[in-house]
Amino acid sequence: AEILELNATDIIKTLMASGSMVNINQEIDYETAAIVAAEFDLEVEAIEIEDVVSKILEEYDEEETGNEVLRPPVVTVMGHVDHGKTSLLDRIRKANVIAGEAGGITQHIGAYTVNIKKQAITFIDTPGHEAFTAMRSRGAQITDIAVLVVAADDGVMPQTIEAINHAKAAGVPILVAINKIDKPGANPDRVKQELTEYGLVVEEWGGETIAVLVSAKTGEGIDALLEMIILMAEVEELKADPTREARGTVIEAQVKRGKGPVASLLVQQGTLHVGDCILTGTTYGKIKAMIDDKGKRLKKAGPSTPVEISGLSDIPIAGDDFIVLENEKEARQLAEKRKDMQKGERQRRSNISLDDLFSQIQDGNIQDVNIIIKADVQGSIEAIKQSLEKLDNESVRINVIHGAVGAINETDVMLAATSNAIVIGFNVRPDKNAVKLAETEDVDIRLYRVIYDAVEDIKKAMEGMLAPEF
Ligand code: GDP
């Protein structure tokens, strides 16, 4: 009645006349609405709910505001286990509190902001490429710079390589932090040497990678590291318009006592206000309260600011985006429709598989075939990689985005799902979790014992001559 500018009772009367006994609060389905509208000589058009959301998003993207200003960089710390990721994050946070920002109690809200010479940097609190890629698999790209922590006494290790490849696959620039330089066995030059094998050549050796020597234990080099981050951010010219409605990503969510569902959001565009109505996934709500990482209550939060909000209907999912809608009713309706849709159909993203590679190439859907190689020995990875890269032709390029020794694990599958890649296992198998994830994420894993077979299969798939696998 509101939209049609009609009297509600007239609509109810019409409904009753056609046999639907309804009251004013009741929902009617599309068909019924269409019949009623026809009675009033009006036409009803059904719009898919995702179309409504994408329309909102499109309108947002298209708007040229001209109000863009520099925003703080968002940094994720990655690296091998025990190389000092957590220590580094703690050290950076603490150093900043001592620097005079005290007053509040540190709150773990999934990210925190530090100020260096009046410039802010936002750090994601969960280190590691697993979290990074899990977020990316939900479509969230929040990281501007990856700090790769490598222990100077240990050097490049398997997860260092994973981290490099995950950051590269995401197109995120890498800043190297060579950590633990206080240790007697520290050998930063060896680390630099090892990194060259993975395409990271430091500046002093003629490359483009910046490496900073640090100790999370003594604090040495931390300021230099932070200054480098600021410098890199300046080069990247990261911008956002703080005058628009907010948009961003959920970085964490949970139920807190006395608060109900709370979510940590990273504002990426615009400014988020208390009282804004947001929609994220199938969750919605009007923001009741907002705090920052120091526990300070905020009324608004601009670009690159992490905040914890309360007022949501449910716990949202980390990695989902959020948008601001006009009112709570609209947000609720969209959330409910999304829920219905999800019930109806388990949405499946179609990942690439060898079986449909050829048709995808023919349709012009892919120009790059991304491949992840896991093998029992390093030599095989190189051999397969080289043979595969020889298969490049005018229309298709083969990219080996990650290669490592060891069983196929969950992170490999996650990277494959995110990067639309095929996983090749050579004399190795996927572990149980990887198999499960590959099933839900629809990732093609192929196992081989002979290099020739692997290369032949991909060659045939590219030519559309692979016998289908049943
Ligand atoms: P993560 O697994 O990468 O998060 O590593 P942690 O931050 O948990 O650090 C692993 C171990 O290395 C801990 O025992 C830390 O105390 C130690 N550690 C971290 N950074 C340094 C450092 O700069 N110097 C020394 N000597 N020890 C460090």
Side-chain angles (χ1 to χ4, degrees):
E2 252 169 48
I3 296 168
L4 305 181
E5 292 175 347
L6 291 170
N7 205 325
T9 40
D10 288 341
I11 292 186
I12 293 175
K13 267 188 219 154
T14 314
L15 278 164
M16 286 184 170
S18 63
S20 302
M21 295 304 177
V22 294
N23 66 41
I24 196 162
N25 296 318
Q26 211 161 323
E27 231 178 76
I28 55 171
D29 60 23
Y30 170 74
E31 278 73 27
T32 314
I35 293 168
V36 175
E39 291 286 324
F40 292 97
D41 285 332
L42 293 162
E43 214 177 297
V44 175
E45 191 190 341
I47 303 175
E48 288 297 328
I49 199 71
E50 281 312 312
D51 290 346
V52 177
V53 176
S54 14
K55 222 177 112 203
I56 295 169
L57 296 181
E58 260 167 42
E59 278 167 10
Y60 193 100
D61 282 337
E62 275 163 9
E63 262 175 58
E64 272 289 332
T65 65
N67 293 326
E68 282 82 5
V69 293
L70 288 176
R71 63 168 177 83
V74 179
V75 179
T76 298
V77 175
M78 302 188 197
H80 195 70
V81 65
D82 280 346
H83 278 198
K85 299 180 293 293
T86 313
S87 308
L88 191 68
L89 280 165
D90 287 349
R91 163 65 70 172
I92 292 167
R93 169 188 271 145
K94 258 193 254 150
N96 205 242
V97 172
I98 295 163
E101 251 212 294
I105 303 161
T106 302
Q107 303 283 317
H108 285 267
I109 66 165
Y112 65 84
T113 301
V114 295
N115 284 296
I116 311 301
K117 296 182 179 158
K118 299 219 169 89
Q119 307 219 52
I121 306 173
T122 298
F123 284 90
I124 300 297
D125 230 347
T126 318
H129 56 278
E130 294 88 350
F132 171 83
T133 297
M135 292 275 255
R136 244 174 29 92
S137 75
R138 299 200 65 81
Q141 173 86 294
I142 59 174
T143 304
D144 301 308
I145 296 168
V147 169
L148 180 72
V149 178
V150 191
D153 62 337
D154 203 21
V156 170
M157 296 304 267
Q159 286 169 300
T160 317
I161 303 163
E162 283 185 17
I164 293 171
N165 293 335
H166 281 236
K168 275 190 186 164
V172 173
I174 296 170
L175 172 61
V176 178
I178 301 179
N179 190 31
K180 305 199 187 185
I181 52 159
D182 60 284
K183 280 190 132 180
N187 187 349
D189 275 350
R190 200 191 78 198
V191 175
K192 290 178 190 171
Q193 179 61 50
E194 288 169 351
L195 285 172
T196 59
E197 281 173 44
Y198 303 95
L200 299 179
V201 182
V202 294
E203 279 185 323
E204 58 267 37
W205 294 356
E208 285 175 356
T209 301
I210 299 169
V212 185
L213 306 190
V214 300
S215 166
K217 190 178 172 191
T218 66
E220 193 183 340
I222 302 293
D223 286 345
L225 179 72
L226 296 175
E227 273 163 31
M228 273 309 163
I229 293 172
I230 298 275
L231 219 68
M232 274 176 86
E234 275 169 15
V235 174
E236 300 278 313
E237 282 197 47
L238 309 166
K239 286 184 172 172
D241 176 358
T243 66
R244 331 180 63 175
E245 271 167 4
R247 268 176 69 177
T249 301
V250 177
I251 45 181
E252 256 181 41
Q254 57 189 302
V255 173
K256 274 198 182 166
R257 267 179 69 181
K259 277 192 179 175
V262 298
S264 297
L265 307 179
L266 179 72
V267 179
Q268 292 174 283
Q269 268 288 356
T271 297
L272 188 66
H273 303 88
V274 168
D276 279 352
C277 292
I278 64 165
L279 171 71
T280 167
T282 58
T283 305
Y284 68 95
K286 186 173 179 154
I287 299 178
K288 254 197 329 217
M290 190 150 77
I291 58 163
D292 68 7
D293 53 303
K294 283 120 202 151
K296 202 168 80 192
R297 284 181 89 94
L298 302 178
K299 282 210 173 69
K300 56 182 189 173
S304 299
T305 312
V307 288
E308 186 185 89
I309 60 146
S310 58
L312 292 175
S313 62
D314 206 343
I315 310 170
I317 297 171
D320 271 356
D321 59 4
F322 74 82
I323 58 175
V324 173
L325 295 165
E326 212 139 285
N327 55 54
E328 201 169 359
K329 192 170 147 205
E330 192 185 5
R332 189 190 65 231
Q333 281 173 349
L334 289 172
E336 278 168 5
K337 292 270 162 51
R338 269 186 173 169
K339 234 183 245 173
D340 287 349
M341 272 195 7
Q342 283 185 359
K343 261 186 238 154
E345 44 161 326
R346 234 190 89 68
Q347 60 189 86
R348 232 163 205 283
R349 273 167 303 150
S350 57
N351 275 311
I352 190 178
S353 77
L354 271 197
D355 292 336
D356 63 21
L357 185 60
F358 182 65
S359 59
Q360 295 253 22
I361 294 169
Q362 290 283 294
D363 295 346
N365 289 342
I366 48 168
Q367 281 91 40
D368 290 273
V369 179
N370 291 336
I371 291 188
I372 293 171
I373 304 171
K374 292 303 285 280
D376 53 346
V377 291
Q378 185 67 33
S380 307
I381 300 170
E382 279 311 312
I384 297 171
K385 189 174 165 193
Q386 277 171 19
S387 314
L388 286 180
E389 283 171 353
K390 282 202 198 104
L391 298 178
D392 283 2
N393 59 36
E394 290 136 39
S395 45
V396 207
R397 252 173 52 117
I398 303 237
N399 299 320
V400 175
I401 59 168
H402 177 56
V405 171
I408 298 162
N409 59 33
E410 248 179 317
T411 327
D412 298 324
V413 176
M414 191 67 88
L415 179 63
T418 314
S419 310
N420 197 22
I422 294 165
V423 184
I424 290 181
F426 185 73
N427 282 327
V428 295
R429 306 192 60 80
D431 64 30
K432 233 177 24 205
N433 292 337
V435 171
K436 238 196 270 162
L437 190 64
E439 233 161 69
T440 51
E441 295 288 329
D442 207 14
V443 167
D444 194 7
I445 298 179
R446 300 274 171 152
L447 306 174
Y448 297 96
R449 299 202 154 275
V450 182
I451 292 181
Y452 175 81
D453 290 345
V455 177
E456 254 330 87
D457 264 11
I458 292 185
K459 188 169 161 212
K460 281 186 189 152
M462 284 168 69
E463 291 163 353
M465 287 160 63
L466 186 75
E469 194 184 65
F470 294 108

Coordinates of all heavy atoms in Angstrom, one line a residue, residues 80-87 179-180 182-183 215-217, ligand 1:
H80 N 56.4 -18.3 8.5 CA 56.4 -19.7 9.0 C 56.1 -19.7 10.5 O 56.4 -18.7 11.2 CB 57.8 -20.3 8.8 CG 57.9 -21.8 9.0 ND1 57.2 -22.7 8.1 CD2 58.4 -22.6 9.9 CE1 57.4 -23.9 8.5 NE2 58.2 -23.9 9.6
V81 N 55.6 -20.8 11.0 CA 55.3 -20.9 12.4 C 56.5 -20.7 13.3 O 57.6 -21.1 12.9 CB 54.6 -22.3 12.7 CG1 55.6 -23.5 12.5 CG2 54.1 -22.4 14.2
D82 N 56.4 -20.0 14.4 CA 57.5 -19.7 15.3 C 58.5 -18.7 14.8 O 59.5 -18.5 15.5 CB 58.2 -21.0 15.8 CG 57.4 -21.7 16.8 OD1 56.5 -21.1 17.4 OD2 57.7 -22.9 17.1
H83 N 58.2 -18.1 13.7 CA 59.2 -17.1 13.2 C 59.0 -15.7 13.9 O 59.8 -14.8 13.7 CB 59.2 -17.0 11.7 CG 60.0 -18.1 11.1 ND1 60.5 -18.1 9.8 CD2 60.5 -19.3 11.6 CE1 61.2 -19.2 9.5 NE2 61.2 -19.9 10.6
G84 N 57.9 -15.6 14.6 CA 57.7 -14.4 15.4 C 56.6 -13.5 15.0 O 56.6 -12.3 15.3
K85 N 55.6 -14.0 14.3 CA 54.5 -13.2 13.8 C 53.7 -12.6 15.0 O 53.5 -11.4 15.0 CB 53.5 -14.1 13.0 CG 54.1 -14.7 11.7 CD 53.1 -15.5 10.9 CE 52.6 -16.7 11.7 NZ 53.7 -17.8 11.8
T86 N 53.3 -13.4 15.9 CA 52.5 -12.9 17.1 C 53.4 -12.0 17.9 O 52.8 -10.9 18.3 CB 52.1 -14.1 17.9 OG1 51.6 -15.1 17.1 CG2 51.0 -13.7 18.9
S87 N 54.6 -12.3 18.1 CA 55.5 -11.4 18.9 C 55.6 -10.1 18.2 O 55.6 -9.0 18.9 CB 56.9 -12.0 19.0 OG 56.8 -13.4 19.5
N179 N 63.4 -11.3 11.1 CA 63.2 -11.2 12.6 C 64.3 -12.0 13.4 O 65.0 -12.8 12.8 CB 61.8 -11.8 12.9 CG 61.4 -11.5 14.4 OD1 61.8 -10.5 15.0 ND2 60.6 -12.4 14.9
K180 N 64.3 -11.8 14.7 CA 65.2 -12.5 15.6 C 66.7 -12.2 15.3 O 67.5 -13.0 15.5 CB 65.0 -14.0 15.5 CG 63.5 -14.5 15.8 CD 63.4 -15.9 16.2 CE 62.0 -16.4 16.2 NZ 61.8 -17.7 16.7
D182 N 68.5 -10.5 17.0 CA 69.2 -10.5 18.3 C 69.9 -11.9 18.6 O 70.7 -12.0 19.5 CB 68.2 -10.1 19.4 CG 67.1 -11.1 19.5 OD1 66.2 -11.1 18.7 OD2 67.1 -12.0 20.4
K183 N 69.4 -12.9 17.9 CA 69.9 -14.2 18.2 C 71.3 -14.5 17.7 O 71.7 -14.0 16.6 CB 69.0 -15.3 17.7 CG 67.7 -15.5 18.5 CD 67.0 -16.7 18.0 CE 66.6 -17.6 19.1 NZ 65.9 -18.8 18.6
S215 N 63.9 -7.2 15.5 CA 63.8 -8.1 16.6 C 62.6 -7.8 17.4 O 62.4 -6.7 18.0 CB 65.0 -8.0 17.6 OG 64.8 -8.7 18.8
A216 N 61.6 -8.7 17.4 CA 60.4 -8.5 18.1 C 60.7 -8.6 19.6 O 59.9 -8.1 20.4 CB 59.4 -9.6 17.7
K217 N 61.8 -9.2 19.9 CA 62.2 -9.4 21.4 C 62.7 -8.1 21.9 O 62.3 -7.6 23.0 CB 63.2 -10.5 21.5 CG 63.4 -10.9 22.9 CD 64.4 -12.0 23.0 CE 64.8 -12.3 24.5 NZ 65.9 -13.2 24.5
Ligands
GDP1 P1 54.6 -17.2 15.4 O1 54.3 -18.6 15.5 O2 55.2 -16.8 14.1 O3 53.5 -16.3 15.8 O4 55.8 -16.9 16.5 P2 55.8 -16.4 17.9 O5 55.6 -14.9 17.9 O6 54.8 -17.2 18.8 O7 57.3 -16.6 18.4 C1 57.8 -17.9 18.5 C2 58.9 -17.9 19.5 O8 60.0 -17.1 19.0 C3 58.5 -17.4 20.8 O9 59.1 -18.1 21.8 C4 59.1 -15.9 20.9 O10 59.4 -15.5 22.1 C5 60.3 -16.1 20.0 N1 60.7 -14.8 19.3 C6 59.9 -14.1 18.5 N2 60.5 -13.0 18.0 C7 61.8 -13.1 18.6 C8 63.0 -12.3 18.4 O11 63.0 -11.3 17.7 N3 64.1 -12.7 19.1 C9 64.1 -13.8 19.8 N4 65.2 -14.1 20.4 N5 63.0 -14.6 20.0 C10 61.9 -14.3 19.4

